[in-house]
Amino acid sequence: MSNAIDQTRRMLSLVTYLRERPGAEVAEVARAFGITERELIADLNVLPMCGTSFRGGDLLDIDTDGERIWWHNVDDVAQPLRLAADEATALLVAARAVAGLPGLRAGDREALTRAVAKIENAAGESAEGSARVGVTFEAESHVFADIDRALSEGRRLWLRYYSHGRGGMTEREVDPIRLLTEGHTYLEAWCRTSEDHRMFRLDRVAEIKVLDVPADPPKREPRDLSGGLVNPSADDPEVVVEVSSGGRWVAEYYTHDHAEELPDGGLRITLRSADPSQLRPLALRLGRDGRIVSPPGLAEQARAAALEALAHYGDGLV
């Protein structure tokens, strides 16, 4: 799975590639870019939301029938781009933010800096407002910087990390492998605490230190993440959750085997998890909108956790 920078670079090249090859075959394009057909289709689903204006006009009219790719308005978007003041401001703010990201390749950073200078020169006074706008990323900049340093120097990291499954802070020593982006930014690493590969969301890192210890993650082929970061195994334990209409969102946010409609408008959802105990917070979050049906042990754990949470309210309950 590519990171966001690699994907952006690929999609820019994809636009040029498709413009010169009407009706290109999906399999052929995927081979040319060294990606899976599934990754290519994901890129093609994003491209129709891109164009020469964020106001909604002149978007790329690209679609596919699964075998070939068609671009229907090549000539319409081929005209020279003229940026309005607000467009120039938005572009400059985004470009400066990306240029400041740790982990950006030196050549890409230099190219982006040159492009910013050209846009500023072309936009003139209309671009002055962009200098007063900044962007804050989901994780503190020092988290990115320390991970980037650990990756480049091959060193271990110490994390104080909020574990959603355990519902509290944990301390870990991890050997970093790579950064990945899918909605959030994640660090893939070998966790010395659990002795297994783990994904750590950067916005859940409370503290981080680069240790004076060489990182030595076990050698293995990179995971195939074309289906997403969360990709349960068929050997993982099965969990059944029943939700009311107010809990149907679970089927959208959790990878599942199947979801059966219930008479009251709810769903009976069957999913798999390598560690079913990590689903206890889901049961608490659902409250009256859902319950864990099986395995029985997990259902009882969820019930006990709910009773414990209620007990903390004590006399505050009416």
Side-chain angles (χ1 to χ4, degrees):
M1 185 177 189
S2 306
N3 62 36
I5 295 171
D6 289 336
Q7 184 182 25
T8 301
R9 182 189 298 108
R10 182 176 70 238
M11 290 175 67
L12 289 172
S13 300
L14 187 58
V15 169
T16 302
Y17 186 95
L18 294 177
R19 183 174 59 198
E20 298 172 354
R21 296 168 177 81
E25 295 183 0
V26 169
E28 178 186 341
V29 177
R31 282 195 300 271
F33 282 83
I35 58 177
T36 66
E37 292 185 22
R38 184 168 185 166
E39 287 176 308
L40 175 59
I41 295 300
D43 286 350
L44 294 176
N45 288 336
V46 174
L47 283 177
M49 294 182 281
C50 305
T52 58
S53 171
F54 58 69
R55 297 184 180 86
D58 301 327
L59 297 181
L60 305 181
D61 185 6
I62 295 176
D63 64 27
T64 176
D65 59 6
E67 295 183 1
R68 291 184 176 274
I69 305 167
W70 306 99
W71 185 352
H72 303 290
N73 64 339
V74 176
D75 295 335
D76 294 340
V77 298
Q79 299 301 316
L81 177 63
R82 290 180 173 81
L83 294 176
D86 54 347
E87 292 174 318
T89 298
L91 184 58
L92 287 169
V93 169
R96 290 195 188 103
V98 173
L101 279 176
L104 188 65
R105 295 168 184 161
D108 292 338
R109 196 186 308 276
E110 293 172 3
L112 197 52
T113 301
R114 290 194 300 270
V116 167
K118 291 179 180 179
I119 295 172
E120 287 177 332
N121 183 58
E125 294 182 0
S126 64
E128 291 179 358
S130 66
R132 297 190 293 271
V133 181
V135 174
T136 301
F137 289 95
E138 64 176 346
E140 295 292 337
S141 59
H142 74 275
V143 173
F144 282 102
D146 285 346
I147 293 175
D148 180 53
R149 177 184 165 200
L151 285 168
S152 62
E153 297 179 5
R155 293 167 66 179
R156 186 171 298 173
L157 287 165
W158 173 86
L159 307 176
R160 193 161 74 89
Y161 181 79
Y162 177 77
S163 172
H164 191 267
R166 299 181 184 180
M169 288 292 181
T170 62
E171 294 186 9
R172 318 281 187 96
E173 287 192 9
V174 305
D175 293 340
I177 298 173
R178 55 178 171 169
L179 283 170
L180 301 164
T181 300
E182 185 178 284
H184 297 277
T185 304
Y186 297 82
L187 169 67
E188 182 182 3
W190 176 259
C191 178
R192 294 284 165 179
T193 304
S194 59
E195 289 297 311
D196 199 359
H197 286 82
R198 289 287 187 268
M199 293 287 184
F200 299 95
R201 252 178 63 172
L202 267 57
D203 61 334
R204 293 180 180 166
V205 176
E207 292 184 52
I208 185 170
K209 296 177 185 176
V210 181
L211 302 178
D212 192 19
V213 178
D216 187 25
K219 299 293 187 289
R220 72 167 189 176
E221 289 295 319
R223 286 175 54 196
D224 178 12
L225 300 178
S226 59
L229 293 177
V230 181
N231 195 9
S233 166
D235 297 327
D236 290 340
E238 185 178 89
V239 178
V240 178
V241 182
E242 287 188 355
V243 300
S244 67
S245 57
R248 293 179 68 95
W249 56 266
V250 174
E252 299 177 10
Y253 283 86
Y254 286 82
T255 302
H256 56 278
D257 290 345
H258 57 269
E260 176 188 348
E261 293 284 347
L262 297 177
D264 63 354
L267 293 172
R268 182 182 177 92
I269 303 168
T270 302
L271 52 85
R272 295 184 182 276
S273 174
D275 183 4
S277 65
Q278 293 186 358
L279 295 176
R280 279 180 297 177
L282 170 62
L284 294 174
R285 181 180 176 187
L286 282 168
R288 295 178 179 178
D289 284 328
R291 68 187 183 97
I292 293 175
V293 177
S294 67
L298 178 58
E300 182 56 36
Q301 291 174 25
R303 180 177 178 275
L307 290 174
E308 181 181 354
L310 287 172
H312 285 296
Y313 286 91
D315 296 335
L317 289 174
V318 294

